[in-house]
Amino acid sequence: MTDTDIKKLPLKEVLIDSWKYCTTHGKIAFLLTAIVYAVGALALFSWKHILFWPILLTVYVLWGMYFRFYFNRQPYFDYKVLFNSLVPSTKIVALTVIIGTILIMLPILPLFISKSPEFIDEYTMFLQGDVEKQGMLILIANVLFMLMSPILAYRPFLAWISSLIGRSGSLRFAWKKTRGNYFEFLFIALITNLSIAFIRWLVVYWGGNDYITMLFVAPVFIYFNVLSAKTYEFFFLR
């Protein structure tokens, strides 16, 4: 295949293959469930807490070991590979933080652009208004981030997977290999986010807590990781 060729991700095939893998590999499901609960435990502590960094490190190591297990790269725990994988993962975090900061700042941007005192007063009252208005701003920010996630999150995530199995962790290379698949990745982002949102709504509706939410979100998290591995296989190993 030449550099000008574009591989289109066969969504139906990849989605079905991922589901079949999830239903036949119990060990992977258990490991990923453990990671979900580790992430949940991490959320209970602020970054200032002494337990934050050990838990974060545990989550990172387990997550990396999963992909090494999936692609049969032994030993599953390789500290050199895990250390090298920090390069693409750090870039992903940096991109996410930058874009997230921009999205957070967008609602207050008109305050710096406008020179009208009346507009500034009215807009300030709007920002300090009821919960529905604030919820709408949060929803808009989430939608914008989801629209950008195929470029800023999902395709760079494949670069991280690549680094975990000893291959190139270049974000530029990952973008190049997966170009022309924006809407395919957007669909993956859509079904993932909607699934989690629906589960959270159900748990809240029935009076559940965060631990119950994590329990029911775990299968979505498991499926997403398998789907990412299958997607990586299609673009990088076929």
Side-chain angles (χ1 to χ4, degrees):
M1 186 172 65
T2 65
D3 291 339
T4 57
D5 292 331
I6 295 178
K7 294 178 67 174
K8 300 296 290 185
L9 181 66
L11 274 174
K12 183 178 179 180
E13 174 188 336
V14 174
L15 291 170
I16 293 175
D17 287 347
S18 299
W19 174 254
K20 290 180 179 178
Y21 187 91
C22 287
T23 57
T24 56
H25 292 74
K27 292 181 179 179
I28 294 296
F30 177 80
L31 176 60
L32 288 178
T33 302
I35 294 175
V36 169
Y37 277 92
V39 172
L42 178 64
L44 297 177
F45 305 102
S46 70
W47 65 271
K48 296 180 180 180
H49 198 282
I50 191 173
L51 292 178
F52 177 86
W53 295 110
I55 295 175
L56 182 63
L57 178 61
T58 302
V59 171
Y60 191 87
V61 170
L62 287 174
W63 207 349
M65 288 175 63
Y66 157 69
F67 286 109
R68 290 188 62 79
F69 179 90
Y70 177 93
F71 291 103
N72 194 26
R73 296 298 197 273
Q74 298 185 16
Y76 301 137
F77 175 75
D78 188 323
Y79 72 92
K80 291 183 179 179
V81 171
L82 287 170
F83 182 80
N84 292 334
S85 70
L86 288 172
V87 176
S89 62
T90 301
K91 292 179 180 178
I92 295 171
V93 172
L95 282 172
T96 303
V97 171
I98 291 172
I99 299 302
T101 302
I102 293 174
L103 291 177
I104 292 173
M105 294 296 293
L106 279 178
I108 65 174
L109 187 61
L111 296 177
F112 298 95
I113 298 177
S114 176
K115 296 182 180 180
S116 170
E118 292 80 7
F119 172 81
I120 293 176
D121 290 340
E122 291 179 3
Y123 192 74
T124 301
M125 292 180 63
F126 169 77
L127 293 178
Q128 297 174 345
D130 55 39
V131 176
E132 290 186 2
K133 293 178 180 178
Q134 296 175 4
M136 181 59 67
L137 291 176
I138 294 174
L139 176 62
I140 292 173
N142 287 332
V143 170
L144 289 175
F145 186 81
M146 187 177 68
L147 291 174
M148 292 184 286
S149 64
I151 299 172
L152 300 175
Y154 285 85
R155 287 192 281 181
F157 188 68
L158 299 182
W160 181 62
I161 295 176
S162 188
S163 69
L164 287 170
I165 61 175
R167 296 169 65 93
S168 172
S170 168
L171 268 64
R172 182 178 298 180
F173 183 65
W175 281 322
K176 181 179 179 181
K177 293 286 287 186
T178 58
R179 68 190 185 279
N181 286 270
Y182 171 82
F183 289 105
E184 286 76 5
F185 282 105
L186 182 61
F187 181 80
I188 293 174
L190 185 63
I191 61 174
T192 302
N193 291 340
L194 287 180
S195 298
I196 294 175
F198 180 69
I199 291 171
R200 288 176 62 89
W201 177 82
L202 278 180
V203 172
V204 171
Y205 180 80
W206 290 105
N209 55 31
D210 290 340
Y211 287 103
I212 300 298
T213 301
M214 291 187 333
L215 177 64
F216 286 100
V217 165
V220 179
F221 184 78
I222 293 168
Y223 185 76
F224 168 76
N225 280 276
V226 174
L227 182 58
S228 298
K230 292 290 184 183
T231 302
Y232 179 86
E233 281 184 315
F234 174 77
F235 285 113
F236 293 81
L237 301 181
R238 289 188 187 179

